[in-house]
Amino acid sequence: MSGVYARHIAVLAASAAFAATSGLLTAPTAQAAMPTPVSASTARTYLSELTVAAEGSSSGYSRDKFPHWITQSGACNTREVVLERDGTNVTTNSSCAAVSGTWYSEYDGATWTAASDLDIDHMVPLAEAWRSGASSWTTAERQAYANDLTRPQLIAVTDNVNQSKGDKDPANWMPSRAAYKCTYARAWVHVKHYYDLTVDSAEKSALQSVLNNC
């Protein structure tokens, strides 16, 4: 791990907790209020700086190695914080579960009124991260990654759309909603650059194609 990355990880928990607390206190009404990714021009620069390498093996991978939906504040875990952040007029119960609200899924343009219809997508999937460098991280580092509320890494989207994405990279899957593809590519590169993850050649080409048209 680089020194810069180590410093990133050291401050991640505190910054994520602050972001989560701020979101709960201010009860934002904006839909899909994922942290804004870097600009297209910055994303193009970041993409040029990423190490290009063949995707690693999935051997040893398990979602359990990325402990996620940890407690963020009070009774609220990461999933519940994102649901409240990304929805409109969200009401929660004493356990912090969303019992009402409206959610717009940026990936497909669908609107939902039941939290059960939504998944919280990891922009760069956990298995993709594993194959791109996270296999060498500590469990604490992988936990920070899987619950990152500060980078554009988590977003509430239609559950079956998230399931169709699975662990695919942009060479094999992009949101069907054309208006969101630029934001998606910017966010993907932002996350990979921050965590010093590699890209394979097909993935890089797909990202370049999108970013060049942003």
Side-chain angles (χ1 to χ4, degrees):
M1 292 292 160
S2 68
V4 171
Y5 178 63
R7 288 194 294 277
H8 284 333
I9 288 296
V11 302
L12 184 56
S15 60
F18 175 78
T21 303
S22 299
L24 292 169
L25 291 175
T26 58
T29 57
Q31 293 179 335
M34 179 182 73
T36 303
V38 294
S39 68
S41 61
T42 298
R44 287 191 288 269
T45 298
Y46 280 5
L47 182 58
S48 71
E49 295 170 351
L50 292 177
T51 298
V52 178
E55 202 162 80
S57 171
S58 292
S59 177
Y61 168 73
S62 166
R63 288 179 67 84
D64 292 340
K65 293 183 177 180
F66 291 80
H68 52 290
W69 308 166
I70 62 173
T71 299
Q72 291 288 345
S73 177
C76 303
N77 67 24
T78 308
R79 171 183 165 83
E80 292 150 352
V81 169
V82 176
L83 283 171
E84 182 163 11
R85 182 199 71 188
D86 288 4
T88 300
N89 299 321
V90 176
T91 300
T92 58
N93 62 19
S94 59
S95 299
C96 201
V99 294
S100 66
T102 302
W103 291 268
Y104 177 77
S105 172
E106 292 282 6
Y107 288 1
D108 59 332
T111 298
W112 303 99
T113 56
S116 59
D117 288 319
L118 298 143
D119 279 354
I120 307 304
D121 180 44
H122 289 93
M123 178 64 62
V124 178
L126 306 181
E128 166 69 20
W130 177 271
R131 297 189 297 265
S132 304
S135 60
S136 66
W137 296 354
T138 65
T139 299
E141 288 167 342
R142 289 193 288 263
Q143 176 176 293
Y145 176 85
N147 296 275
D148 188 354
L149 292 163
T150 305
R151 259 57 56 184
Q153 165 67 340
L154 299 172
I155 186 171
V157 296
T158 302
D159 54 4
N160 61 353
V161 172
N162 180 52
Q163 290 152 25
S164 72
K165 170 183 172 178
D167 63 355
K168 301 180 184 76
D169 70 30
N172 298 301
W173 191 93
M174 288 287 289
S176 61
R177 184 168 161 259
Y180 200 68
K181 289 182 178 180
C182 181
T183 301
Y184 187 87
R186 288 160 49 210
W188 183 282
V189 172
H190 185 154
V191 171
K192 281 229 162 174
H193 187 269
Y194 183 85
Y195 285 100
D196 196 24
L197 296 169
T198 62
V199 289
D200 62 50
S201 56
E203 174 189 355
K204 182 175 182 177
S205 293
L207 289 163
Q208 283 177 324
S209 179
V210 174
L211 291 172
N212 286 342
N213 290 299
C214 289

